[in-house]
Structures are given as C-alpha cells and as structure tokens.
Amino acid sequence: MTLAVKRLIRDLAGRLPELAHVEASRVLVVAGEARGSSRATIRGGQLGPPRAGGKRRFLRLRGRDLRYVITLRPLWFLASTAEERVATLLHELYHASIRFDGSLHRERRHARLPRARYDRHVQELLRRYLAAAPPELVAPFSGEGVVKIRMWLRGPRAGRVRGAGRDAGPLLFHGYMPLRTRAPREAEPEARPRRRRRGRDEEEGE
C-alpha cells in the first residue's frame, strides 16, 4: 500500500495544477492510531524549531528531506470507499504550502477556510482527477484483504536528532493493516466531530 499511495500522490501532482508543487518523494506516508473520526492527518517533517538563520532540520529518508508526514488512520483502512480514500489524500495534500517547505497553507487551514468550503474544493479536485485517472492507480484503493505499509517503530524526537539521527529509516518498519472497502451505496455522512482543542497548528485532521 505504501507504493500505491506514493504512485497516486505522484499522479495527483502531475494532473492537478493545484498540487503541482507536491513532491511525492518528500512525503512520508505511515499508518497510525485512531484519532476521533479522522481518516488521516498531515504535519510537517521538520524537527524542532528553526535553527539560527531560520534553517529547518527535516527527517530524511534515502538521502531526501521529508517535508511532510501523512498518517493514515484506521478508518481510512476499515471504513472507507475507494473514492473516500483518494479524497482523503487530496484533502491532506491540499493543506501543504505551495512553497512545499513543511508548513501548512495559511489560507487553507480549517480555522480560516470553513470546512464546508474546503470540502467543496476537495470534491471538485476529486471529480476532475477521477475523470482522467488511470484505473490501475485507483484500483488498489478498492481492494480487500491485508496490505503492507510503513509504521513508526519509534517516533522521532527533535531533542535527540543530530546528523545521522535525522535518518527516518531506523525509526520505521513495514507492518500490516486489514483493508475493508465499503461500497458507495453504504457510505453515510460522518457524524460531525465534537470541537476539540488543537495542540499544534502544524497538524490538521481530515
């Protein structure tokens, strides 16, 4: 599933001008624990506050800085249609700054852009993408069974990261998640989540 998601992100960036700034090789995708009714979250890949001169340190994987980390939640795997899975990835990527520097687009945060308007933008992107998407890139998201995907073995800790410690490789492993796809006719609107206090602005829930 890791490879399928990366291929989809690369194709989304190539077909949608609104995501042309996205570099799939600099996005880490992992599976994570449940968080309310969220299907996924996105945050920057930077470690701690900027250093002197404003330079940021990022996690690295295979020699590349990871600008963003997308965490797919259990609902993405177990209670989504294929279209909802693609829409979730669109939703998270649309939060990324057009500078693609690990920050979130200021005008696309839910605090500034009402959720209903944001969702309408995402649905329009989804409609345009699915009209032109290669079927073989979308097919993995309608499957059933068990899929292999990266997970954190240990979460990165900014205070201990120096030099080679920025390498995310030793902190990751490939685990397995069940995949169960709902038929579109079974999809129901999600209950509106209770408003909760956000801990840090660099992470937004889908």
Side-chain angles (χ1 to χ4, degrees), residues 98-113:
I98 59 174
R99 298 187 301 274
F100 211 68
D101 59 358
S103 65
L104 299 183
H105 195 297
R106 185 173 299 178
E107 300 304 319
R108 295 177 185 170
R109 289 183 175 177
H110 296 313
R112 288 178 175 261
L113 184 63

Side-chain angles (χ1 to χ4, degrees), residues 47-57:
L47 293 160
R51 306 179 77 179
K55 187 175 181 180
R56 293 180 172 182
R57 295 175 302 160

